Amino acid sequence: MTVHNLYLFDRNGVCLHYSEWNRKKQAGISKEEEYKLMYGMLFSIRSFVSKMSPLDMKDGFLAFQTSKYKLHYYETPTGLKVVMNTDLGVGNIRDVLHQIYSYIYVEYVVKNPLCSLNEPIQSELFCSKLDSFVRSLPFFSARAG
Amino acid sequence: RARSPAPLPPAVGHAVLAINGLEVNGRFTADGRDVLEYLSSAANFPVAIRFGRPRLSSYEKLMLASMFHSLFAIGSQLSPEPGSSGIEMLETDTFKLHCYQTLTGIKFVVLADPRQAGIDSLLRKIYEIYSDFALKNPFYSLEMPIRCELFDQHLKLALEVAEKAGPFGPGL
């Protein structure tokens, strides 16, 4: 089990933060283009899912998986989106993504007066806290690095 | 085990789906009567009305199918691992979407309850039915909507068998 990468988007689609741990393949486009493609895909999935749903939804889209990876999605009521790609062995990690929001983003970005919201996060403290949080997750394997 | 849907109270965005067990499509019932007229006549009471999300029109179905086609492709492009397929399973709190792409590029998509088991075998069964009753039918032209009675019958049967397996069931 391993974590591949993590994207953090604000409600306007700006990529606030990106980090990767064990990623073997790049998308073959610039990082800026990749963020836009990822956000666009999530935006379309959300509208697709809300049209397809047979019942009214509460949380909406949670995750999708392909033959090689699983994408986990969590959105706060303020529109902040946390996206984590892991391998297929990982189950529901909604609470983990919520912890990234409440323990790391809120603590080290929202409560930091030097961090302006709605633009990419520069704070080194945030990055190191996030990195150590993800590395301590039970499904982050030791060999991945 | 018969599973009847629990009656839902009307909610914003919902439409009338059935009156007294009679299907309703838009403004008209299945036998061609106007819904509002039917409801305004006292002779038809008491009535049981079923509400739910409005059904998708065939135009919307086409649009959603093409949308999924591109999402499938982007899903494989954004993969952090080499050699990934497109979206095989998409999970929401109300349903799971399972997709099976054959080697020739045909996609079969099934929407199911999140707890429903045995969908992978159902998808392969549907592929089998498609090959046997659509592809082998000399009157079926490729890449056109399938209008074959045998296909419909066997598909319905396969869905009923999968449905009976229920949550955590053994599947087909």
Side-chain angles (χ1 to χ4, degrees):
Chain A
M1 293 215 259
T2 182
V3 177
H4 297 304
N5 50 4
L6 183 129
Y7 300 81
L8 210 66
F9 292 102
D10 79 350
R11 63 167 150 184
N12 303 316
V14 179
C15 183
L16 298 179
H17 180 79
Y18 172 77
S19 38
E20 63 184 47
W21 288 273
N22 192 25
R23 182 172 179 171
K24 296 201 188 72
K25 172 184 168 275
Q26 299 297 330
I29 46 180
S30 76
K31 275 279 170 282
E32 292 308 313
E33 292 293 316
E34 186 188 316
Y35 304 152
K36 279 188 225 165
L37 190 62
M38 175 59 85
Y39 186 82
M41 178 179 72
L42 296 169
F43 189 87
S44 312
I45 285 182
R46 264 164 30 98
S47 92
F48 174 76
V49 152
S50 70
K51 286 198 191 99
M52 287 291 259
S53 176
L55 302 163
D56 289 328
M57 291 191 298
K58 225 170 53 234
D59 303 325
F61 171 53
L62 301 174
F64 78 67
Q65 66 181 55
T66 73
S67 61
K68 294 280 180 185
Y69 76 104
K70 184 166 179 183
L71 179 144
H72 306 264
Y73 177 81
Y74 171 73
E75 184 174 347
T76 70
T78 48
L80 187 93
K81 294 160 186 73
V82 187
V83 181
M84 187 187 262
N85 288 327
T86 68
D87 71 344
L88 296 176
V90 180
N92 189 348
I93 54 163
R94 207 177 145 70
D95 47 341
V96 172
L97 299 186
H98 177 74
Q99 281 166 4
I100 289 179
Y101 167 69
S102 61
Y103 295 159
I104 302 177
Y105 178 76
V106 172
E107 287 299 321
Y108 300 107
V109 177
V110 178
K111 294 187 184 173
N112 181 348
L114 296 176
C115 273
S116 49
L117 302 171
N118 304 328
E119 57 182 73
I121 298 164
Q122 309 285 345
S123 162
E124 262 180 47
L125 184 63
F126 169 80
C127 296
S128 64
K129 290 285 177 191
L130 181 67
D131 187 66
S132 56
F133 178 83
V134 173
R135 280 176 196 278
S136 70
L137 289 172
F139 48 85
F140 189 94
S141 94
R143 61 168 180 83
Chain B
R1 184 169 23 129
R3 268 190 283 173
S4 61
L8 291 168
V12 176
H14 280 193
V16 175
L17 293 183
I19 298 179
N20 289 339
L22 197 63
E23 296 281 310
V24 172
N25 260 318
R27 275 196 61 143
F28 297 96
T29 58
D31 51 2
R33 277 180 295 180
D34 189 293
V35 174
L36 295 176
E37 241 168 65
Y38 185 83
L39 288 178
S40 60
S41 149
N44 295 318
F45 279 71
V47 290
I49 305 179
R50 190 156 62 84
F51 296 95
R53 288 170 63 97
R55 292 195 187 85
L56 295 170
S57 67
S58 48
Y59 170 75
E60 281 173 305
K61 282 179 195 158
L62 274 176
M63 198 188 75
L64 290 170
S66 7
M67 209 162 150
F68 184 72
H69 194 81
S70 10
L71 291 173
F72 189 91
I74 299 173
S76 95
Q77 194 190 345
L78 286 173
S79 168
E81 290 272 307
S84 172
S85 72
I87 298 174
E88 285 184 343
M89 199 258 282
L90 191 145
E91 206 177 330
T92 75
D93 57 341
T94 51
F95 70 92
K96 264 188 190 170
L97 179 149
H98 302 255
C99 175
Y100 172 57
Q101 190 181 34
T102 68
L103 290 174
T104 44
I106 296 158
K107 286 190 197 73
F108 294 94
V109 177
V110 166
L111 262 73
D113 187 278
R115 288 158 302 164
Q116 179 74 37
I119 298 292
D120 282 345
S121 46
L122 171 68
L123 281 165
R124 274 148 190 81
K125 180 79 187 164
I126 294 174
Y127 183 28
E128 201 183 309
I129 294 169
Y130 169 75
S131 320
D132 282 348
F133 301 103
L135 289 186
K136 291 183 191 170
N137 182 340
F139 299 105
Y140 169 65
S141 42
L142 280 175
E143 311 197 356
M144 292 301 274
I146 303 166
R147 298 193 206 289
C148 310
E149 212 172 285
L150 275 175
F151 174 82
D152 292 343
Q153 280 170 14
H154 283 82
L155 184 64
K156 198 162 169 247
L157 200 72
L159 288 173
E160 276 163 16
V161 171
E163 168 100 37
K164 269 201 201 90
F168 314 114
L172 289 172

